[in-house]
Amino acid sequence: MSSDAIGTLEHLVLLVIARQGPDRYGVTVIKELRRHGYRIGPGTLYPLLHRLEEKRYLISTHALVGGKNRRTYTITRRGRTALEQAKEKVRELWDELLEEQEENTRS
């Protein structure tokens, strides 16, 4: 597996940042993931964000948000490409699983 490979949680984080728009910060990502039933804390999220930035899937900048200095994250073209590739792989897997299920139902 490539050193650029990322897992499901990383893909979910990229998806949240992509859907929320530019300049998202960690707390908003945690809240959105929790809203969908994923319980991760800062100790998991922030190292993951840093890894995604090192792999150039995200870029970060510092901004003043609500009077606090926050690091905000924006998905890069490389990150969007990773999401698109993951979506294709998931669709392919679901198609195969559904096809197998239909074949088993007919048997």
Side-chain angles (χ1 to χ4, degrees), residues 16-29 49 58-65 70-76 80:
V16 166
I17 291 170
R19 290 190 65 191
Q20 288 184 337
D23 304 327
R24 291 292 139 199
Y25 54 99
V27 173
T28 62
V29 173
L49 288 170
L58 295 174
I59 56 171
S60 71
T61 56
H62 290 278
L64 197 60
V65 178
R70 302 267 190 197
R71 179 175 277 197
T72 60
Y73 296 90
T74 304
I75 191 167
T76 63
R80 289 190 185 283

Side-chain angles (χ1 to χ4, degrees), residues 31-56:
K31 287 178 181 178
E32 184 65 14
L33 288 171
R34 284 187 179 162
R35 195 171 76 79
H36 293 282
Y38 298 94
R39 304 271 179 224
I40 68 167
T44 300
L45 180 66
Y46 289 105
L48 185 148
L49 288 170
H50 294 298
R51 283 192 308 273
L52 290 172
E53 190 173 12
E54 286 173 0
K55 293 178 179 186
R56 301 186 327 265

Side-chain angles (χ1 to χ4, degrees), residues 99-107:
E99 185 177 301
E100 287 176 15
Q101 184 179 20
E102 288 174 8
E103 288 174 6
N104 290 336
T105 303
R106 284 187 232 134
S107 301

